[in-house]
Amino acid sequence: MSTMELDPKYDHYDFPTTAPVAKPGHPGHLTEAQQAQVHQLRMMLETEGYTKRLDTLTLLRFLRARKFDVNLSKKMFVDCEKWRKTLLYAGQPLKIDGRTINLDEEVSEWDKDGSFKKKVSKWYPQYYHKTDKDGRPVYIEQLGKIDINAMKNEGIEYEHMLVNLAVEYEKMADPRLPACSRKAGQLLETSCTIMDFNGVGFGNARQVFGYIQEASGMSQNYYPERLGRMYLINTNWLFTGVWRMIRPLLDPVTVEKIHVLGGNYQKELLSQIPAENLPKEFGGTCQCEGGCELSNAGPWCDPEYTKPAWWEKKDDAIENRPTEIGTGEGAAASGTATAEEGADAKAPAQATA
């Protein structure tokens, strides 16, 4: 019998927790062996001192990403926690104005006034906008408009872009996905992505694919099981050659989610995304005032469905009993014997890798 046990210490969810499709290993559809593997992974991490992001939904994503190999899942989780403490760029600590970036601390402070997003949107539109027919957030990137040199002239470096990407992943995980789940009445853990290659050619291919490589590494290594569908539109012969090379290197499950559509894409996009939710420039009818790319429209802005994200609830912490705190890398990484159960025990379900 498939089911899923919730852990009273970490699983403080206020949104649906059963996946809509009954696939083994997905929330609400676990075998006894898979449930035991969740417990095993959690105990191993607790023993090493980890107190954050040990909720069931988060651990399941890491387990699915590593085919329920507990040891490999543990390594992936630990690597992710190290990365969260110090973000990396090209394998080295990423620095902005001479300081390294701790993601848990940065997410609530980044671009509070929206000025960074406004500035970047001129040279690289990337934004969440409403939902697809399954209720998932739609994410759009217009890669052909990337102008790294223009952004540098505005004081925006690669480092800023990567921090922004990580923060946006966090905000997709919470508050966007929980709000979408509440509206849909079922658990949604993934996004629907549109990557627009219109304008990508010899002149900018190197900088475009260089950024994609860094962004893809972040997604695969630290945000597993977040891709629902991906549509690659306006792809040309240059991309087709690259795709032929990288496709065999990807997990077959990932390849199934990626749809390469070229220039004749409107019909397929509209089969997945309601016309009123799809920006007009991609074949839909949506024309948000001020531009879809800056609207942030979606259930996460609707008071009926949204609630404060984990990173907005800094003071909701309780102290774990000393016997529950290990002395391994997790304890060193946290630097504290406090588990933020109200915030970070709920956060993991939504806002982790």
Side-chain angles (χ1 to χ4, degrees):
M1 178 180 176
S2 294
T3 182
M4 184 174 75
E5 297 173 17
L6 294 181
D7 186 289
K9 183 176 176 182
Y10 297 106
D11 295 343
H12 300 168
Y13 306 121
D14 54 11
F15 53 87
T17 57
T18 299
V21 180
K23 292 182 179 178
H26 287 252
H29 311 290
L30 305 186
T31 64
E32 288 186 11
Q34 289 168 338
Q35 187 69 64
Q37 287 163 318
V38 172
H39 292 317
Q40 182 185 359
L41 177 57
R42 181 181 288 124
M43 288 177 62
M44 291 167 70
L45 292 167
E46 282 184 321
T47 299
E48 293 200 8
Y50 290 97
T51 58
K52 296 182 179 181
R53 291 173 275 276
L54 299 184
D55 66 288
T56 300
L57 296 183
T58 296
L59 297 184
L60 275 175
R61 290 192 295 105
F62 281 88
L63 284 163
R64 291 199 304 274
R66 292 296 178 261
K67 314 298 184 191
F68 277 82
D69 183 310
V70 176
N71 288 321
L72 290 179
S73 301
K74 174 179 172 285
K75 182 181 185 308
M76 188 183 196
F77 184 98
V78 169
D79 288 346
C80 176
E81 288 297 305
K82 289 178 181 176
W83 171 81
R84 292 181 72 90
K85 187 182 178 188
T86 306
L87 296 193
L88 303 176
Y89 170 41
Q92 299 298 315
L94 182 155
K95 293 185 178 181
I96 292 180
D97 298 327
R99 65 183 179 91
T100 57
I101 304 297
N102 179 309
L103 184 56
D104 285 356
E105 296 172 359
E106 193 71 29
V107 65
S108 63
E109 301 299 322
W110 183 259
D111 196 28
K112 277 187 170 180
D113 62 0
S115 59
F116 180 86
K117 186 176 182 64
K118 267 186 186 175
K119 197 183 291 187
V120 167
S121 68
K122 293 185 293 184
W123 311 116
Y124 182 14
Q126 46 179 172
Y127 55 99
Y128 287 91
H129 182 266
K130 300 187 176 180
T131 56
D132 69 3
K133 291 182 179 179
D134 294 317
R136 295 176 295 207
V138 174
Y139 177 64
I140 299 170
E141 287 198 18
Q142 293 180 267
L143 296 163
K145 293 187 178 181
I146 290 181
D147 190 330
I148 300 296
N149 292 329
M151 286 193 285
K152 284 186 175 181
N153 290 336
E154 295 262 4
I156 300 169
E157 302 288 344
Y158 249 45
E159 289 84 350
H160 295 94
M161 297 298 297
L162 292 172
V163 172
N164 188 67
L165 181 66
V167 169
E168 285 300 316
Y169 268 126
E170 294 297 310
K171 292 182 178 180
M172 177 189 79
D174 188 9
R176 289 187 177 103
L177 284 171
C180 290
S181 297
R182 294 183 195 107
K183 183 174 183 179
Q186 58 190 12
L187 177 65
L188 299 171
E189 296 186 287
T190 62
S191 64
C192 176
T193 297
I194 300 171
M195 305 285 277
D196 180 15
F197 285 79
N198 186 35
V200 176
F202 277 118
N204 60 358
R206 187 171 182 176
Q207 59 184 3
V208 167
F209 290 118
Y211 177 78
I212 288 177
Q213 186 175 16
E214 286 286 341
S216 297
M218 184 186 296
S219 171
Q220 291 180 33
N221 295 330
Y222 310 124
Y223 294 93
E225 297 288 302
R226 286 303 192 198
L227 178 62
R229 285 175 180 261
M230 177 179 283
Y231 296 98
L232 308 180
I233 66 173
N234 289 315
T235 52
N236 56 24
W237 63 270
L238 185 63
F239 173 83
T240 302
V242 174
W243 177 243
R244 282 202 193 102
M245 288 189 290
I246 65 174
R247 178 172 176 160
L249 305 177
L250 298 175
D251 187 305
V253 175
T254 300
V255 172
E256 281 183 18
K257 299 175 182 179
I258 300 175
H259 306 265
V260 181
L261 302 182
N264 193 18
Y265 59 83
Q266 288 86 352
K267 183 177 179 181
E268 189 157 352
L269 280 190
L270 289 168
S271 71
Q272 183 62 31
I273 304 169
E276 62 271 21
N277 289 1
L278 185 64
K280 188 174 181 180
E281 64 182 303
F282 301 116
T285 59
C286 188
Q287 293 178 281
C288 293
E289 185 177 350
C292 291
E293 68 275 12
L294 295 175
S295 71
N296 194 34
W300 48 89
C301 290
D302 187 332
E304 183 178 353
Y305 303 114
T306 195
K307 295 186 179 182
W310 69 267
W311 43 269
E312 296 175 292
K313 301 167 70 175
K314 292 291 187 181
D315 300 323
D316 198 9
I318 70 169
E319 187 176 347
N320 273 347
R321 294 188 297 273
T323 54
E324 295 174 320
I325 302 298
T327 57
E329 291 186 18
S334 65
T336 178
T338 298
E340 298 181 7
E341 288 211 356
D344 279 322
K346 177 176 163 185
Q350 308 148 34
T352 75

